[in-house]
Amino acid sequence: MIRLDSRAADFSDAFARLLSVKREISEDVDETVRGIIAGVVSGGDAALVDYSRRFDRLGEDFSEATLRFTDEEIEAAMAQCPPATLAALRLAAERIETYHRLQIPEDYIATDDLGVTSGWRWTALESVGLYVPGGTASYPSSVLMNAIPARVAGVPRVAMVVPTPEGRLNPLVLAAAQISGVTEIFRIGGAQAVAALAYGTQSVAPVAKIVGPGNAYVAAAKRRVFGQVGIDMIAGPSEVLILADGHANPDWIAADLLAQAEHDEAAQAILITTSDTLAEQVEQAVERALGTMSREKIARASWRDYGAIITVANFDEAVPLVDRLAPEHLEIETEDAEALSLKIRNAGAIFLGSHTPEAIGDYVGGPNHVLPTARSARFSSGLSVLDFMKRTSILRCDPAALRALGPAAIALGHSEGLDGHARSVAIRLNL
Amino acid sequence: MIRLDSRAADFSDAFARLLSVKREISEDVDETVRGIIAGVVSGGDAALVDYSRRFDRLGEDFSEATLRFTDEEIEAAMAQCPPATLAALRLAAERIETYHRLQIPEDYIATDDLGVTSGWRWTALESVGLYVPGGTASYPSSVLMNAIPARVAGVPRVAMVVPTPEGRLNPLVLAAAQISGVTEIFRIGGAQAVAALAYGTQSVAPVAKIVGPGNAYVAAAKRRVFGQVGIDMIAGPSEVLILADGHANPDWIAADLLAQAEHDEAAQAILITTSDTLAEQVEQAVERALGTMSREKIARASWRDYGAIITVANFDEAVPLVDRLAPEHLEIETEDAEALSLKIRNAGAIFLGSHTPEAIGDYVGGPNHVLPTARSARFSSGLSVLDFMKRTSILRCDPAALRALGPAAIALGHSEGLDGHARSVAIRLNL
């Protein structure tokens, strides 16, 4: 953890260093992934079985016939889940759906004075593939956050893939898929699953877009199939930035910083405060709390390597720092949190006030928890219904409209050396 | 050009082959581009001058001091433009602006029964870089189509780069920039310009996102700086699909097919018709028209290698073919064009009726002409105001709301093994 003070002479350099820290180790797995994709394209289901047996250490009972989970298997998994957790998942699903329904965009079409009819029409993607990691990173909440916006958008087919290393799978992941309206689930993962979704096999019909988090192989495979299909953003390690004044509760702030730090040793948690006292108290509270954590090792490494506490003279001074950090998650626990939030341009999600720990947003708040990381909130947004739709523009000229606009189009066509463009207009006007 | 008939026994295979034709030659320039980007990052303005002199064949008078166009140079360029073309550009700009203003998204914020306040806020990107190719592909209309949505979105800083090979530049490009509200213009291009926009130099401040078309070097550079900055889609060769019945004018249809074909030898123009007679007439009309074209060589090569005329029994049969082709541009010249258009899911832009040649949309219709190519209309949309904005989600719980939602968040946190998440909620509820 580093302590910075905006009053220090070297603050500007120190802050620039904090900004430029690379937290992600990029493994070079591209050649391996290229081979796996080619294998699935040529080998289909048989290749999927082969790769899955090898990489997920599965036995002979894993075959073409068991690639897809049956309805009975999904029902059985749901029956294994603690009812209280299922109820929590259902509450989360309801709130996520309600929030995302508000994002459904409107079509527009109108005719102007010249007789030009123009506008646009939104349509849902025809199909979406949802990647869900296996093992400890297999989060049912992520299934909800990716699948529900697709369903709300009206995507008729949502195919999920999830690897089952050694045959193990968190039944809550299947429950979350069922609750979210996922239409088919395959027990495959890695680059081979991405290839199957992009190119199709005998059992897996290809999709139009692939979303969801994954390891370095999955990320490399998504980059490689991009163009053949759409992909979502490639997520980096998670991060939180907290703005807090002297009234904030240091134990609460410490808990929020560590909730972020426990994700991943590459996660980042930063506090910016106007209070030297709070800075001191939070530093101590973090140390105390670390010892009580089940994921202490991860959280301690993240806090040690990437954590920061920055003191500033006032929050106006903090605003440009926030915009440069462009945090995935921004908590504002200050007296006038909302007014301060309106000054911020770059943040994936903002959590206002002291009773809105980011974990509420991770699960049950309603907004999406798939958010831009690694400063990409400067130019991108969290996952939404729009990511599962696309817009077709519409244009119609009546003869009078073409007469009115045609000459300008002809002039511009000729000016660009595209005489054929000009001619396609002129021929209709007998020009 | 190939002729296909849906009644033929091998139609399904032949159509699949048409779909899978690769029209783009992907040059492997990645290593070169990597070197150029590293050169600009370490060398700044001096490297920009060096690369530009070399690649754009510029003399000693090209220096750090002349990287940026002065206001006087821009005014002088505008004075060189034919007044009629400037008037056409201004008409186009007005119509593009009017259309894109309708796309400005609305913020949303509301408090639900539990006391949870949630919603989102849209903000403009802080800065955008616009790449404009040099030479013959230097289209003023593309400047309007990229820069106006950024200005409408509220982006305060729009920096344009355009190479000036041998010192030459189409003055209309500068005029279009001026009309569109571009805030600064640099006479640089290639991977070095992309690097400057992404990382900044002494003269070029870095931007948050880079948009605009370019050659293989530009495309490779954009892919490489993605993450450091946002990028738009990587555009492939242009394409048109026309649906026409027996009432269509074969000369008009031929003109529209060739307006597409003249773009690029890799462009694609396809007609799907229910009329064998029209198919025959259009084929002849294309041959006649080709001989009259200033870009005959390009158009002929495109039509020869990638053109297609497909006859179908009826337009319901055409709908799934259109959705599989997912054309950048779709013209519908049939009796009930609008009803047919509503059945189409995948198209970048639709042009309705016989008086709406696609060239109108390229210039003065109002909708954007930057559209998804190479079947990517299955999962993406044309350029819009949204591409220059991003959405921050907002969440606020009051104490009662946290009490209501907290237990579910705690249950889900524990179920995912993220006890620190659970604790950040529980500590506020004394649980």
Side-chain angles (χ1 to χ4, degrees):
Chain A
M1 194 274 293
I2 57 163
R3 284 282 294 266
L4 302 181
D5 187 323
S6 71
R7 292 157 295 192
D10 68 342
F11 175 72
S12 166
D13 289 347
F15 186 76
R17 274 197 302 280
L18 181 67
L19 268 184
S20 65
V21 166
K22 283 266 171 286
R23 289 182 287 133
E24 218 170 350
I25 307 140
S26 55
E27 289 176 69
D28 194 3
V29 299
D30 212 44
E31 272 313 302
T32 311
V33 162
R34 183 208 295 254
I36 294 170
I37 293 173
V40 172
V41 168
S42 64
D45 278 357
L48 281 183
V49 168
D50 192 44
Y51 287 123
S52 301
R53 283 185 184 166
R54 205 168 351 143
F55 300 142
D56 297 334
R57 300 166 299 282
L58 298 169
E60 293 292 317
D61 54 329
F62 183 83
S63 71
E64 281 89 334
T66 63
L67 281 174
R68 182 168 170 176
F69 282 93
T70 62
D71 293 347
E72 292 70 32
E73 287 170 324
I74 297 165
E75 289 304 325
M78 288 194 83
Q80 282 178 51
C81 299
T85 317
L86 278 184
L89 271 183
R90 288 206 175 89
L91 172 66
E94 259 178 53
R95 294 191 54 88
I96 295 165
E97 176 161 346
T98 301
Y99 180 89
H100 286 77
R101 283 215 173 279
L102 299 165
Q103 295 178 331
I104 298 174
E106 283 183 29
D107 294 348
Y108 178 85
I109 192 94
T111 304
D112 67 19
D113 296 347
L114 297 179
V116 182
T117 302
S118 69
W120 58 80
R121 190 155 56 83
W122 288 91
T123 44
L125 305 199
E126 56 204 4
S127 51
V128 165
L130 165 54
Y131 191 92
V132 178
T136 52
S138 200
Y139 295 137
S141 61
S142 286
V143 175
L144 304 183
M145 292 290 182
N146 280 278
I148 292 173
R151 187 182 63 183
V152 168
V155 177
R157 183 175 160 244
V158 181
M160 182 172 120
V161 294
V162 57
T164 57
E166 272 118 25
R168 282 178 289 105
L169 178 64
N170 180 354
L172 282 167
V173 165
L174 295 185
Q178 180 78 342
I179 289 169
S180 314
V182 166
T183 53
E184 49 208 84
I185 311 176
F186 298 93
R187 36 167 69 86
I188 52 176
Q192 60 274 21
V194 173
L197 290 171
Y199 293 96
T201 68
Q202 296 86 337
S203 297
V204 185
V207 299
K209 184 170 183 171
I210 301 175
V211 300
N215 63 17
Y217 292 87
V218 172
K222 280 167 67 181
R223 281 186 199 274
R224 194 163 268 279
V225 300
F226 176 58
Q228 172 69 21
V229 296
I231 62 168
D232 60 353
M233 62 186 112
I234 305 284
S238 194
E239 64 224 14
V240 72
L241 172 59
I242 304 179
L243 300 183
D245 60 23
H247 301 286
N249 181 319
D251 290 311
W252 297 7
I253 302 287
D256 294 357
L257 292 168
L258 291 173
Q260 198 61 40
E262 75 170 345
H263 263 293
D264 184 345
E265 296 192 359
Q268 183 166 50
I270 300 176
L271 168 65
I272 298 183
T273 180
T274 47
S275 162
D276 287 318
T277 313
L278 187 80
E280 199 57 47
Q281 289 170 329
V282 168
E283 187 172 350
Q284 290 163 11
V286 165
E287 286 308 320
R288 279 195 308 272
L290 269 169
T292 71
M293 295 184 75
S294 59
R295 293 166 73 98
E296 176 183 353
K297 190 163 163 288
I298 295 169
R300 192 176 286 281
S302 156
W303 181 245
R304 179 192 65 218
D305 296 340
Y306 304 115
I309 297 179
I310 303 172
T311 44
V312 291
N314 56 63
F315 286 111
D316 279 340
E317 208 175 67
V319 168
L321 305 181
V322 175
D323 279 341
R324 287 172 70 194
L325 283 162
E328 183 190 12
H329 306 105
L330 175 65
E331 287 188 11
I332 309 185
E333 307 199 23
T334 63
E335 291 243 53
D336 196 354
E338 194 178 339
L340 180 53
S341 79
L342 295 175
K343 300 180 183 172
I344 304 293
R345 190 193 284 269
N346 299 334
I350 299 181
F351 304 85
L352 293 167
S354 56
H355 292 85
T356 320
E358 187 234 299
I360 285 288
D362 283 340
Y363 294 122
V364 290
N368 210 287
H369 81 195
V370 180
L371 292 165
T373 58
R375 305 184 61 222
S376 62
R378 289 172 299 133
F379 54 79
S380 60
S381 311
L383 197 70
S384 81
V385 167
L386 297 185
D387 294 299
F388 299 101
M389 304 186 79
K390 66 256 174 6
R391 205 183 48 246
T392 299
S393 67
I394 310 288
L395 190 66
R396 169 169 223 147
C397 292
D398 63 20
L402 186 65
R403 275 195 302 277
L405 289 183
I410 293 170
L412 291 171
H414 286 310
S415 82
E416 295 186 347
L418 298 173
D419 300 330
H421 281 57
R423 187 170 171 278
S424 73
V425 177
I427 195 174
R428 288 168 161 89
L429 298 172
N430 295 313
L431 294 176
Chain B
M1 194 274 293
I2 57 164
R3 284 282 293 266
L4 303 180
D5 187 324
S6 71
R7 292 157 295 192
D10 67 342
F11 175 72
S12 166
D13 288 348
F15 186 77
R17 274 197 302 279
L18 181 67
L19 268 184
S20 65
V21 165
K22 284 266 171 286
R23 288 183 288 134
E24 218 169 351
I25 306 140
S26 55
E27 289 176 68
D28 194 3
V29 298
D30 213 44
E31 272 313 303
T32 311
V33 163
R34 183 208 295 256
I36 293 170
I37 293 173
V40 172
V41 168
S42 63
D45 278 357
L48 281 183
V49 168
D50 192 44
Y51 287 124
S52 301
R53 283 184 184 167
R54 205 168 350 142
F55 300 142
D56 297 334
R57 301 165 298 283
L58 298 169
E60 293 292 318
D61 54 329
F62 183 83
S63 71
E64 280 88 333
T66 62
L67 280 174
R68 183 168 170 174
F69 282 93
T70 63
D71 292 348
E72 292 70 31
E73 287 169 325
I74 297 165
E75 289 304 325
M78 286 195 85
Q80 281 178 52
C81 298
T85 317
L86 278 184
L89 271 183
R90 288 207 176 90
L91 172 66
E94 258 178 53
R95 293 191 56 87
I96 295 165
E97 177 162 345
T98 301
Y99 180 89
H100 286 78
R101 284 215 172 278
L102 299 165
Q103 295 178 331
I104 298 173
E106 283 183 30
D107 295 348
Y108 178 85
I109 192 93
T111 303
D112 68 20
D113 296 346
L114 297 179
V116 182
T117 301
S118 68
W120 58 79
R121 189 155 57 82
W122 289 91
T123 44
L125 305 198
E126 56 203 3
S127 52
V128 165
L130 166 54
Y131 191 93
V132 179
T136 53
S138 199
Y139 296 136
S141 60
S142 286
V143 175
L144 304 184
M145 292 290 182
N146 280 279
I148 292 173
R151 188 182 62 183
V152 169
V155 177
R157 182 176 160 245
V158 181
M160 182 171 119
V161 295
V162 56
T164 56
E166 272 118 24
R168 281 179 290 106
L169 178 64
N170 180 353
L172 282 167
V173 165
L174 295 186
Q178 180 78 342
I179 289 169
S180 315
V182 166
T183 53
E184 49 208 84
I185 312 175
F186 298 93
R187 35 167 70 85
I188 51 176
Q192 60 274 21
V194 174
L197 289 171
Y199 292 97
T201 68
Q202 296 87 338
S203 296
V204 186
V207 299
K209 184 170 184 171
I210 301 175
V211 300
N215 64 16
Y217 292 86
V218 172
K222 280 168 67 181
R223 281 185 198 274
R224 194 163 267 280
V225 300
F226 176 57
Q228 172 70 21
V229 297
I231 62 168
D232 61 352
M233 61 186 113
I234 306 284
S238 195
E239 65 223 12
V240 72
L241 173 59
I242 303 179
L243 300 183
D245 60 23
H247 302 286
N249 181 321
D251 290 311
W252 298 7
I253 302 288
D256 294 358
L257 292 168
L258 291 172
Q260 199 61 40
E262 76 170 345
H263 263 293
D264 185 344
E265 296 192 359
Q268 183 166 50
I270 300 176
L271 167 65
I272 297 183
T273 179
T274 47
S275 162
D276 287 318
T277 312
L278 187 81
E280 199 58 46
Q281 289 171 330
V282 167
E283 187 173 349
Q284 290 163 11
V286 164
E287 285 308 319
R288 279 195 307 272
L290 269 169
T292 71
M293 294 185 75
S294 59
R295 292 165 74 97
E296 176 182 353
K297 190 163 163 290
I298 294 169
R300 193 177 285 281
S302 155
W303 181 244
R304 178 191 65 219
D305 295 341
Y306 304 115
I309 297 179
I310 303 172
T311 44
V312 291
N314 55 63
F315 286 111
D316 279 340
E317 208 176 68
V319 168
L321 305 181
V322 175
D323 278 341
R324 287 172 69 193
L325 283 162
E328 183 190 11
H329 306 105
L330 175 65
E331 288 188 10
I332 308 185
E333 307 200 23
T334 62
E335 292 243 52
D336 196 354
E338 194 178 336
L340 180 53
S341 79
L342 294 175
K343 299 180 183 172
I344 305 294
R345 189 193 284 269
N346 299 334
I350 298 181
F351 303 86
L352 293 167
S354 56
H355 292 84
T356 320
E358 188 234 299
I360 286 288
D362 283 341
Y363 295 121
V364 290
N368 210 287
H369 80 193
V370 180
L371 293 165
T373 58
R375 306 185 63 222
S376 62
R378 289 172 298 132
F379 53 79
S380 60
S381 312
L383 197 69
S384 81
V385 167
L386 297 185
D387 293 299
F388 299 101
M389 304 187 77
K390 66 257 173 9
R391 203 182 48 248
T392 298
S393 67
I394 311 288
L395 190 66
R396 169 170 222 148
C397 291
D398 64 21
L402 187 65
R403 276 195 301 277
L405 290 183
I410 293 169
L412 290 171
H414 287 309
S415 82
E416 295 186 347
L418 298 173
D419 299 330
H421 282 56
R423 187 170 171 277
S424 72
V425 177
I427 194 174
R428 288 168 161 88
L429 298 172
N430 295 314
L431 294 176

